[in-house]
């Protein structure tokens, strides 16, 4: 068979491990040819670009040594064929032009949403592999990159702990996650955050102040607050000025700065001496959460998911996604993974029980 592979959306640690597993298994055990589609869906639909900018044959030699590398050797982009005129038709046309028998799309809700539409509309033989540091896909307990991102965020929180303690400061650590608080809740719990602000169950600023004041009353003059980029301040998301991406998402990021300013103002309202001032410092982690080497969990997860994707292709089980449930690798309908059956279920959010567990350790 000739199998296309693409990585769409934001990059995430573990993508190369998945590509390697797919190529090794497909070439070595099935005698397949694997064609890397460059820069996500762009490689399939950008017909004006040269062929070498769009596709790259992937052999055993090409994937040697990439297991531990961050990023993706075939590039990623947020190109959305659904938003371009004739984009889906171009996708189908080029799928045929490149002689593909199947396509493995590695991505999050956006990339896999397009894969599902291509399967639904044209019956294209597509399977999915779940990837996103946000961990907001349905039907899988984890997505490639999430575990490493949490690890990076936790290390960052750990490092801020010691400096916060030395200076009696409040550190407000902003992590990614888009409209869900998975990274915040996981890294916040692991890093012993005194409060965690997530979009799903937003604590009020007054509650955060109370937690900090209570700690001060107990003699702990520093605090660590973790906030997810999707936490709304005064009911509003904090967005960058860059406008929306091709999937209609606003670029989030920056909530830690205004949040810190508000906290600092409220906390210092009643102080009498300048020396008693409580300093609140914002720390935005940004894309460092997506960078660098994948950790053990993500390398193994990506490898197992990639292998299941090859199985799905060879069993002609298209329109499905490899997933992890508990410790088992399973496969599920792409349709339910991307929440296509129900707009309300578009992204998988942090469950109440997990948030409540975390709150028991606040302060
Ligand atoms: O979806 C992954 C993610 O890192 C989000 O957490 C974040 O909001 C977004 O991508 C940033 O995307 P980009 O790097 O394309 O601006």
């Amino acid at each position: 068979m000739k199998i296309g592979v693409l990585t769409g959306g934001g990059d995430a640690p573990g993508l190369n491990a998945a590509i390697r597993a797919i190529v090794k298994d497909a070439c070595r055990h099935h005698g397949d040819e694997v064609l890397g589609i460059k820069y996500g869906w762009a490689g399939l639909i950008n017909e004006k670009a040269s062929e070498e900018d769009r596709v790259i044959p992937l052999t055993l030699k090409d994937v040697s040594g990439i297991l531990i590398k961050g990023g993706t050797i075939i590039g990623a982009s947020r190109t959305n064929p659904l938003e371009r005129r004739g984009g889906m038709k171009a996708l189908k046309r080029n799928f045929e032009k490149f002689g593909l028998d199947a396509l493995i799309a590695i991505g999050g809700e956006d990339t896999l949403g397009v894969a599902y539409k291509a399967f639904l509309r044209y019956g294209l033989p597509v399977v999915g592999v779940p990837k996103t540091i946000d961990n907001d896909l349905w039907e899988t307990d984890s997505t490639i990159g999430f575990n490493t991102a949490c690890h990076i965020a936790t290390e960052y929180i750990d490092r801020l702990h010691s400096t916060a303690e030395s200076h009696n400061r409040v550190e407000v650590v902003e992590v990614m996650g888009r409209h869900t608080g998975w990274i915040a809740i996981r890294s916040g719990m692991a890093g012993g955050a005194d409060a965690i602000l997530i979009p799903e169950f937003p604590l009020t600023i007054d509650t955060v102040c109370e937690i900090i004041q209570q700690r001060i009353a107990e003699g702990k003059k520093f605090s660590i607050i973790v906030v997810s980029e999707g936490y709304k301040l005064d009911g509003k998301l904090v967005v960058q000025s860059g406008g929306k991406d091709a999937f209609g998402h606003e670029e989030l990021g920056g909530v830690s700065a205004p949040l810190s300013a508000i906290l600092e103002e409220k906390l210092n309202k009643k102080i009498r001496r300048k020396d008693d001032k409580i300093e609140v410092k914002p720390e935005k982690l940004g894309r460092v959460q997506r960078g660098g080497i994948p950790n053990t969990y993500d390398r193994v997860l990506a490898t197992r998911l990639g292998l299941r994707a090859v199985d799905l292709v060879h069993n002609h089980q298209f329109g499905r996604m490899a997933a992890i449930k508990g410790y088992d690798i399973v496969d599920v309908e792409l349709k339910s993974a991307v929440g296509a059956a129900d707009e309300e279920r578009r992204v998988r959010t942090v469950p109440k029980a997990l948030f409540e567990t975390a709150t028991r350790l606040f302060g």
Side-chain angles (χ1 to χ4, degrees):
M1 289 178 96
K2 188 168 181 186
I3 305 173
V5 181
L6 65 82
T7 51
D11 68 338
L15 285 172
N16 285 326
I19 295 169
R20 168 183 174 267
I22 291 165
V23 172
K24 279 190 89 165
D25 193 50
C27 296
R28 206 186 254 171
H29 300 128
H30 296 280
D32 293 332
E33 245 182 274
V34 181
L35 192 67
I37 313 289
K38 286 184 162 181
Y39 306 109
W41 295 112
L44 269 189
I45 70 169
N46 280 355
E47 292 173 313
K48 285 193 183 134
S50 66
E51 193 148 319
E52 60 267 32
D53 278 340
R54 300 178 63 196
V55 289
I56 178 171
L58 294 174
T59 62
L60 291 174
K61 204 164 148 243
D62 297 308
V63 298
S64 169
I66 68 167
L67 173 64
I68 68 165
K69 284 193 180 157
T72 160
I73 60 162
I74 50 177
S77 78
R78 296 196 188 277
T79 302
N80 180 5
L82 290 161
E83 160 278 353
R84 300 230 186 145
R85 226 165 129 225
M88 288 304 279
K89 284 198 179 125
L91 191 162
K92 180 176 184 287
R93 192 165 53 243
N94 287 288
F95 184 96
E96 285 155 7
K97 176 188 158 195
F98 291 125
L100 300 179
D101 298 305
L103 177 69
I104 300 176
I106 310 175
E109 41 129 6
D110 295 331
T111 303
L112 297 183
V114 173
Y116 169 64
K117 286 271 162 57
F119 170 74
L120 187 72
R121 229 179 254 186
Y122 307 120
L124 287 190
V126 172
V127 304
V129 172
K131 168 277 342 174
T132 163
I133 63 161
D134 303 336
N135 200 38
D136 57 358
L137 260 183
W138 290 103
E139 305 297 345
T140 184
D141 290 348
S142 195
T143 49
I144 297 171
F146 169 60
N147 200 284
T148 306
C150 290
H151 206 91
I152 295 167
T154 303
E155 191 191 334
Y156 199 90
I157 295 167
D158 289 347
R159 287 178 187 277
L160 286 168
H161 238 114
S162 58
T163 166
E165 193 167 4
S166 305
H167 288 272
N168 288 336
R169 280 178 178 149
V170 176
E171 291 284 353
V172 176
V173 190
E174 176 181 333
V175 297
M176 284 183 157
R178 217 163 235 158
H179 301 292
T180 66
W182 286 103
I183 301 176
I185 203 86
R186 177 81 73 96
S187 62
M189 284 179 82
D194 300 301
I196 305 171
L197 304 180
I198 62 172
E200 294 91 333
F201 305 102
L203 294 181
T204 65
I205 293 184
D206 286 340
T207 305
V208 179
C209 286
E210 279 164 26
I211 291 172
I212 296 167
Q213 303 279 27
Q214 179 63 32
R215 279 176 58 80
I216 294 171
E218 288 165 6
K220 292 179 206 151
K221 293 186 178 161
F222 73 98
S223 291
I224 302 286
I225 311 300
V226 173
V227 60
S228 180
E229 63 179 1
Y231 173 81
K232 290 180 180 161
L233 260 192
D234 272 339
K236 280 201 207 104
L237 285 170
V238 176
V239 297
Q240 309 285 304
S241 52
K244 293 186 177 174
D245 71 15
F247 286 90
H249 303 293
E250 274 172 311
E251 191 183 333
L252 299 180
V255 65
S256 53
L259 173 63
S260 298
I262 298 170
L263 281 172
E264 194 168 276
E265 203 199 316
K266 283 190 179 261
L267 288 167
N268 291 300
K269 248 188 192 143
K270 288 185 196 141
I271 60 157
R272 289 205 195 102
R273 296 176 331 135
K274 218 173 147 206
D275 284 353
D276 293 336
K277 183 175 175 205
I278 303 164
E279 286 182 302
V280 184
K281 300 286 182 194
E283 312 287 348
K284 183 181 156 195
L285 229 63
R287 291 176 188 80
V288 71
Q289 289 158 102
R290 298 212 310 244
I293 60 170
N295 68 10
T296 315
Y297 181 89
D298 276 325
R299 290 182 207 184
V300 176
L301 176 69
T303 300
R304 295 175 76 202
L305 292 173
L307 294 178
R308 177 57 71 104
V310 176
D311 291 344
L312 287 172
V313 166
H314 279 278
N315 294 334
H316 296 272
Q317 291 175 281
F318 299 113
R320 298 190 69 75
M321 181 186 87
I324 183 160
K325 294 256 171 92
Y327 196 68
D328 296 328
I329 296 296
V330 298
D331 52 82
V332 297
E333 279 197 349
L334 256 180
K335 182 181 179 178
S336 42
V338 299
D342 177 357
E343 262 303 302
E344 287 292 299
R345 273 178 97 245
R346 203 162 148 70
V347 289
R348 186 169 73 103
T349 49
V350 171
K352 196 165 183 223
L354 179 58
F355 180 70
E356 283 174 354
T357 305
T359 61
R360 291 168 67 177
L361 279 308
F362 284 179

